Amino acid sequence: GAVVSQHPSWVICKSGTSVKIECRSLDFQATTMFWYRQFPKQSLMLMATSNEGSKATYEQGVEKDKFLINHASLTLSTLTVTSAHPEDSSFYICSAIAPPRTGTNSPLHFGNGTRLTVT
Amino acid sequence: AQSVTQLDSQVPVFEEAPVELRCNYSSSVSVYLFWYVQYPNQGLQLLLKYLSGSTLVKGINGFEAEFNKSQTSFHLRKPSVHISDTAEYFCAVSDRRPGGSYIPTFGRGTSLIVHP
């Protein structure tokens, strides 16, 4: 149980276009989801906290207008990279807090990530 | 504020040898501690966590870690590694939040490379 699905796994786009990444909790409702960015051989940097039905909370230094987050339902959060540039190329990972009743030993579950390459 | 230091960026080891991945943390409050594993192009999977109680924590895949408050460490160990343990390992710390939730701060990761 407590599966988080992230789509797409890989995406290549041209500079100036926008890309949407979806994060879904498949078997639980997630009022809170998190978006991370990971550079090669580096740790995960928290970008923002996504709350269902309200505006996302962005970490310092993350451009709100660049990385649009929408958490329209209890099972779906989306991250849109607007007007993407090569420096936005990275590995983006979402995670969601699962309620304790799901029976897992960790309330935080990660998607498999999205590899974004901007050419 | 809290932070995590993983002292080794890369740890090469031969198959069936023991391994220790080091992690030190700093925090002004009581914390939760975690180790996650990441296989190539995948998300993170929880190996083990320390919330309270026994300082020796056993996780999946034969890994264990020991919480040492005086040394502010949470080193990860496995007595005998397999090729399949080759992956990136992240230590993480989180302060204690109401309701049992947490938002981890991750270390830079340690790449475990198991050679045959």
Side-chain angles (χ1 to χ4, degrees):
Chain A
V3 175
V4 175
S5 174
Q6 194 170 337
H7 177 80
S9 300
W10 298 81
V11 59
I12 301 173
C13 70
K14 292 185 177 181
S15 185
T17 61
S18 296
V19 174
K20 180 185 284 187
I21 303 170
E22 294 186 347
C23 180
R24 295 181 184 272
S25 56
L26 296 186
D27 51 2
F28 65 97
Q29 294 183 333
T31 56
T32 303
M33 292 185 174
F34 305 96
W35 287 96
Y36 292 86
R37 182 174 181 176
Q38 185 180 30
F39 293 99
K41 300 297 183 183
Q42 294 192 28
S43 184
L44 283 74
M45 301 300 297
L46 181 63
M47 298 175 65
T49 302
S50 171
N51 300 297
E52 187 268 338
S54 64
K55 291 183 179 180
T57 304
Y58 289 82
E59 296 299 302
Q60 191 173 7
V62 178
E63 298 177 58
K64 301 177 182 181
D65 296 331
K66 176 75 172 176
F67 299 100
L68 299 179
I69 292 173
N70 184 278
H71 195 156
S73 77
L74 288 171
T75 59
L76 174 64
S77 175
T78 60
L79 168 67
T80 301
V81 183
T82 62
S83 187
H85 291 284
E87 57 265 30
D88 298 324
S89 297
S90 192
F91 193 56
Y92 294 87
I93 305 176
C94 73
S95 66
I97 292 180
R101 66 177 181 273
T102 57
T104 62
N105 67 349
S106 168
L108 189 63
H109 296 270
F110 289 84
N112 280 337
T114 297
R115 173 74 60 193
L116 170 63
T117 301
V118 184
T119 60
Chain B
Q2 57 224 5
S3 65
V4 177
T5 302
Q6 289 184 246
L7 298 167
D8 306 299
S9 60
Q10 202 173 82
V11 173
V13 65
F14 286 107
E15 193 175 19
E16 298 183 4
V19 70
E20 179 181 82
L21 306 184
R22 297 181 292 170
C23 173
N24 287 88
Y25 70 93
S26 65
S27 176
S28 58
V29 298
S30 295
V31 295
Y32 296 146
L33 293 160
F34 313 86
W35 275 98
Y36 286 88
V37 60
Q38 183 182 33
Y39 297 102
N41 296 308
Q42 293 189 26
L44 273 66
Q45 179 182 2
L46 180 69
L47 276 178
L48 48 80
K49 66 181 182 220
Y50 171 79
L51 303 182
S52 64
S54 174
T55 57
L56 182 62
V57 181
K58 293 189 182 298
I60 63 172
N61 300 342
F63 284 94
E64 64 179 32
E66 186 159 16
F67 170 57
N68 188 319
K69 189 174 182 179
S70 62
Q71 296 186 4
T72 60
S73 68
F74 191 55
H75 300 332
L76 180 70
R77 303 186 185 99
K78 185 169 182 177
S80 176
V81 295
H82 300 288
I83 297 288
S84 59
D85 292 323
T86 295
E88 196 78 15
Y89 291 80
F90 292 95
C91 182
V93 62
S94 173
D95 58 2
R96 301 188 176 194
R97 295 169 180 253
S101 66
Y102 54 84
I103 301 177
T105 298
F106 291 91
R108 293 177 63 87
T110 297
S111 181
L112 175 63
I113 303 171
V114 181
H115 297 286

